[in-house]
Amino acid sequence: MSIGADNASWVRRRGTAADGAFDVAVTPTATAPVDGWQHTRLRVATVAPGDGVEHDSGDEETLVVPLSGSFRVEVTEADGAAHDVVLVGRGSVFDGPTDVVYAGRGSRLRVWSQGSDDGRVALCGAPATKATEPKPFRHVGVAEVAVELRGTGRASREVRDLGLPDVLDADSFLVCEVVTPAGNWSSWPPHKHDEERPGEETELEEIYYVETRSTDPRGADPVGYLRVYGSSADRPLDVLAEVRTGDLVLVPHGWHGPAVAAPDADLYYLNVMAGPGPERAWRICDDPAHAWVRESWADDEVDPRLPVGGTR
């Protein structure tokens, strides 16, 4: 099998997976649906000033994440309770974390751009199957978003816990952002979460939505690279993708990593994870061939370029 032989199945290039008003989508009705994809959803829209997008969540829970710009979010919950908040947002995903809005299943959402330029907003979703009742609406302020600096040296990266259990009481999904400075590796060591092993590993589908930013003053094409490979002979998988802003890489199973930022481009990805198991938790195991690298982190410093948005 050649390297990247499964790219066509698990990589969606910008503009190839639209769904109505959303120009990037992982949904059953997207223009490029994914066979067998069950547990996670993602919709990304580019919204002109004063315009908006609507979403009836049905059986899904939703996390509204401003990628660039500010947004007014109107939510009517399943029980009729109404909410109207403005998300301050940010200039870009490289400006630091953002505030977000959570809406439980059965909600109706209207998301309106509040800026003078086009904005981009992501609606992260998952069928909400674990709790008996829909989880309540919540506006998570930017100060509530935990920011972690993981790894050291060239494995340094910034993780923002937008929708992980320490920040948000959701039903099924886990949502976070990762920023990897130019020249660094993240999702390293390679790891997997494709089996239910209580206390050790949870079975989770995963979406990577990517944005890149050139650090070259001449404006070179900013790219990154993502790798996914099979964890057993009976579940082969081979993805090696060059990625740019608006691209998607899907992880149905297997080891994933590294995510590599080119030496002249910062790399960002938004992760949406969910699975069929009873526990809402991110439990992983490392590829034994590379797990030793964690022991080396004690001998190096965290990359001083982090956090990319500065201290808060």
Side-chain angles (χ1 to χ4, degrees):
M1 180 181 290
S2 62
I3 296 295
D6 294 322
N7 283 16
S9 296
W10 305 110
V11 179
R12 296 291 184 270
R13 301 297 180 190
R14 181 177 184 176
T16 65
D19 185 4
F22 299 96
D23 44 37
V24 175
V26 181
T27 64
T29 55
T31 53
V34 184
D35 290 342
W37 203 256
Q38 302 179 62
H39 304 292
T40 54
R41 306 281 186 265
L42 180 66
R43 299 166 174 87
V44 179
T46 301
V47 187
D51 286 346
V53 292
E54 299 185 6
H55 174 56
D56 286 337
S57 69
D59 67 350
E60 298 175 15
E61 60 184 348
T62 306
L63 191 71
V64 181
V65 180
L67 301 172
S68 65
S70 300
F71 295 87
R72 178 179 176 183
V73 182
E74 302 171 10
V75 175
T76 303
E77 296 184 88
D79 63 3
H83 309 271
D84 187 342
V85 301
V86 172
L87 291 175
V88 175
R90 53 197 167 177
S92 85
V93 295
F94 298 103
D95 290 340
T98 180
D99 52 341
V100 298
V101 155
Y102 173 84
R105 68 175 183 262
S107 296
R108 298 191 305 275
L109 296 90
R110 303 175 72 192
V111 183
W112 300 94
S113 175
Q114 298 293 290
S116 56
D117 299 313
D118 287 355
R120 285 193 317 284
V121 63
L123 274 59
C124 309
T129 59
K130 293 178 173 44
T132 303
E133 298 295 330
K135 294 289 185 175
F137 170 92
R138 183 157 169 222
H139 178 197
V140 179
V142 66
E144 300 175 81
V145 175
V147 176
E148 307 173 58
L149 301 185
R150 293 185 186 166
T152 61
R154 288 301 181 186
S156 300
R157 62 273 201 185
E158 174 183 341
V159 182
R160 305 164 183 161
D161 300 349
L162 300 179
L164 296 185
D166 59 336
V167 172
L168 179 66
D169 179 24
D171 182 289
S172 296
F173 60 34
L174 304 159
V175 181
C176 67
E177 301 179 318
V178 179
V179 178
T180 309
N184 284 10
W185 288 28
S186 57
S187 284
W188 193 257
H191 56 278
K192 75 179 186 74
H193 38 69
D194 59 12
E195 298 179 80
E196 283 294 328
R197 297 188 297 143
E200 297 185 39
E201 185 178 352
T202 44
E203 181 183 351
L204 301 168
E205 287 179 345
E206 184 164 11
I207 300 170
Y208 281 69
Y209 165 79
V210 173
E211 298 205 0
T212 55
R213 176 178 68 173
S214 176
T215 60
D216 184 344
R218 298 167 298 179
D221 180 24
V223 301
Y225 299 87
L226 270 73
R227 176 77 168 129
V228 188
Y229 57 100
S231 57
S232 63
D234 60 343
R235 301 183 83 185
L237 185 60
D238 198 326
V239 172
L240 179 58
E242 182 177 273
V243 291
R244 295 170 174 81
T245 293
D247 290 346
L248 299 166
V249 176
L250 307 175
V251 182
H253 56 81
W255 307 113
H256 40 292
V260 182
D264 57 1
D266 295 327
L267 175 67
Y268 160 95
Y269 47 88
L270 174 66
N271 285 145
V272 185
M273 296 172 279
E279 184 181 19
R280 178 180 171 248
W282 185 67
R283 299 192 190 280
I284 66 170
C285 66
D286 292 335
D287 184 339
H290 303 284
W292 65 269
V293 74
R294 292 189 186 275
E295 299 173 8
S296 71
W297 290 346
D299 300 324
D300 207 346
E301 300 293 329
V302 174
D303 192 314
R305 293 174 292 178
L306 295 175
V308 296
T311 57
R312 293 178 299 152

